[in-house]
Amino acid sequence: MKRILKINFCDFWGDFKKEDNLFLNLLKPYYDVEISNNPDVLFYSCYSFEHLKYKCHKIFYTGENVRPNFMECDFSLSFDFDDYQNRNLRLPLFRWHHVEWLFERKEFQKIKSSKTKFCCIVVSNENARERNDFFKKLNGYKKVDSGGRAFNNIGYYVDDKLAFLKDYKFVIAFENSCYPGYTSEKIIHPMFRNSLPVYWGNPKIGNDFNTKSFINVHDYQSFDAVIEEIVRIDSSDDVYHQYIEQPWFSNNKMLDELELNYLSEKLFNAIESFDKVKPVSKIFFNGFYQAVNKQKKRILSRLLGKQHWYC
């Protein structure tokens, strides 16, 4: 019989489902998992401070570009390549999606005939300077349809992003910020619809995906050079075909360390190691630090007008 593991979740994004999520799927091969208000292990994110109420072992996860704080958590699942002395497992946000769809064979003529529009973007955050600058520059060459709340120029807000993307040859897929390893869902959404992502964010994106299959802004000296390449692709079916024929992943294979079996085993090993150590939340100094840090973030959030996880 499997060992019973009591877990709970808090401080996640709004539509996070406690009863159906990636963490549960990773744990089920090893444990009989129970959702409990008195958990052995708490999974928490960065969107609030409810985790401070718990004194059990804690695992931190975030969809934002922030670093794990090991004065608040015992282990982390993050974008970071660094394992922080075996306390962190890399689990980028794009891995929450059905990336298996990206291994399907691409048919150029079928894709080409479906791409009746030039380029689009669907974002709501207007505070990403690099993305804003690039959108304005590319829009100067040819209109870029913006379907989000930022720079909306189509007269309505897009409800179904994937359905909206399917007609577009290019999609601006810039992250909110830049950091090695920080790869969200932004790059795979256009891939799901066989649109070419114009990607910026993770300078090591080639570790995750085949950079010959999309436009990696980090490979160019300037935004002007990126736009020259977009014009070249847009003007030549032969060049466009060279991109489309490439698999999204190098050798059409995902990294072994992002396979679910690998992630599941590593998470199991981390949780099993908790039996040998005291939760960081029960160390007096850490508890004092967490209370002070909570107030600090609240104050900075109000002063800077930003969400507290950026402070």
Side-chain angles (χ1 to χ4, degrees):
M1 293 180 63
K2 297 177 184 176
R3 169 188 165 190
I4 295 175
L5 181 70
K6 295 185 295 182
I7 66 172
N8 206 351
F9 304 94
C10 68
D11 306 335
F12 278 85
W13 47 86
D15 59 352
F16 180 85
K17 298 177 181 178
K18 286 188 178 185
E19 296 77 17
D20 182 16
N21 58 69
L22 178 58
F23 303 126
L24 288 176
N25 293 334
L26 293 177
L27 293 173
K28 284 178 179 179
Y30 296 97
Y31 300 106
D32 283 330
V33 183
E34 295 181 2
I35 307 297
S36 171
N37 290 326
N38 184 28
D40 303 311
V41 177
L42 176 75
F43 289 82
Y44 74 99
S45 193
C46 64
Y47 299 97
S48 190
F49 303 102
E50 187 180 342
H51 67 274
L52 295 178
K53 301 176 184 177
Y54 293 83
K55 298 301 179 184
C56 59
H57 286 99
K58 300 179 186 179
I59 296 177
F60 174 70
Y61 183 77
T62 178
E64 304 296 337
N65 183 12
V66 295
R67 314 280 69 76
N69 184 338
F70 294 104
M71 294 183 74
E72 296 185 345
C73 66
D74 302 275
F75 191 77
S76 66
L77 301 160
S78 75
F79 295 103
D80 290 10
F81 290 112
D82 193 339
D83 71 356
Y84 296 102
Q85 299 179 334
N86 210 32
R87 291 178 294 175
N88 178 68
L89 177 62
R90 185 166 187 259
L91 181 59
L93 190 61
F94 77 81
R95 195 60 186 92
W96 283 70
H97 297 261
H98 294 290
V99 294
E100 292 76 15
W101 295 344
L102 300 181
F103 296 109
E104 295 179 2
R105 183 173 174 271
K106 293 186 280 185
E107 300 179 25
F108 175 69
Q109 290 301 331
K110 184 177 180 180
I111 293 171
K112 177 176 175 289
S113 63
S114 70
K115 301 306 177 185
T116 57
K117 300 177 182 178
F118 170 57
C119 182
C120 72
I121 183 172
V122 183
V123 294
S124 295
N125 182 356
E126 297 184 2
N127 296 318
R129 180 174 57 83
E130 290 82 4
R131 186 167 60 209
N132 297 347
D133 291 348
F134 184 80
F135 166 76
K136 292 173 184 176
K137 273 184 171 291
L138 185 58
N139 200 49
Y141 160 65
K142 191 183 289 189
K143 183 187 176 186
V144 177
D145 291 342
S146 180
R149 295 186 180 278
F151 308 112
N152 188 284
N153 59 10
I154 63 172
Y156 65 95
Y157 297 132
V158 169
D159 290 326
D160 187 336
K161 181 180 177 182
L162 292 182
F164 179 70
L165 300 184
K166 67 180 177 62
D167 298 330
Y168 290 90
K169 195 172 185 178
F170 305 93
V171 175
I172 296 177
F174 276 43
E175 307 286 6
N176 293 331
S177 56
C178 177
Y179 192 85
Y182 175 48
T183 312
S184 74
E185 79 291 346
K186 289 183 174 62
I187 190 169
I188 63 170
H189 282 171
M191 289 178 173
F192 284 153
R193 292 297 176 259
N194 286 312
S195 300
L196 292 183
V198 183
Y199 181 80
W200 176 92
N202 174 10
K204 295 184 177 181
I205 190 63
N207 289 31
D208 292 329
F209 295 97
N210 174 19
T211 55
K212 294 180 180 179
S213 67
F214 62 95
I215 302 162
N216 181 22
V217 175
H218 296 280
D219 288 342
Y220 297 84
Q221 294 297 316
S222 67
F223 284 170
D224 288 336
V226 176
I227 292 173
E228 286 180 11
E229 179 64 5
I230 292 173
V231 173
R232 189 172 79 94
I233 299 168
D234 194 34
S235 304
S236 170
D237 285 349
D238 289 338
V239 177
Y240 183 37
H241 185 265
Q242 291 172 16
Y243 277 87
I244 293 298
E245 71 179 355
Q246 289 287 333
W248 297 120
F249 293 98
S250 296
N251 300 316
N252 205 29
K253 185 179 184 303
M254 190 163 38
L255 289 174
D256 289 341
E257 54 264 39
L258 292 180
E259 294 287 353
L260 294 182
N261 288 341
Y262 176 90
L263 295 168
S264 182
E265 181 181 358
K266 289 293 185 179
L267 182 56
F268 166 73
N269 291 337
I271 291 175
E272 288 296 294
S273 72
F274 290 167
D275 291 339
K276 304 173 184 178
V277 294
K278 185 178 182 180
V280 297
S281 57
K282 289 187 177 181
I283 299 173
F284 173 78
F285 178 79
N286 288 349
F288 176 76
Y289 164 83
Q290 291 171 29
V292 172
N293 196 37
K294 174 181 177 180
Q295 295 305 319
K296 170 193 166 187
K297 287 184 176 182
R298 281 179 169 172
I299 293 170
L300 287 175
S301 291
R302 293 192 186 102
L303 291 176
L304 300 177
K306 295 180 180 180
Q307 299 281 7
H308 61 256
W309 59 83
Y310 289 118
C311 300

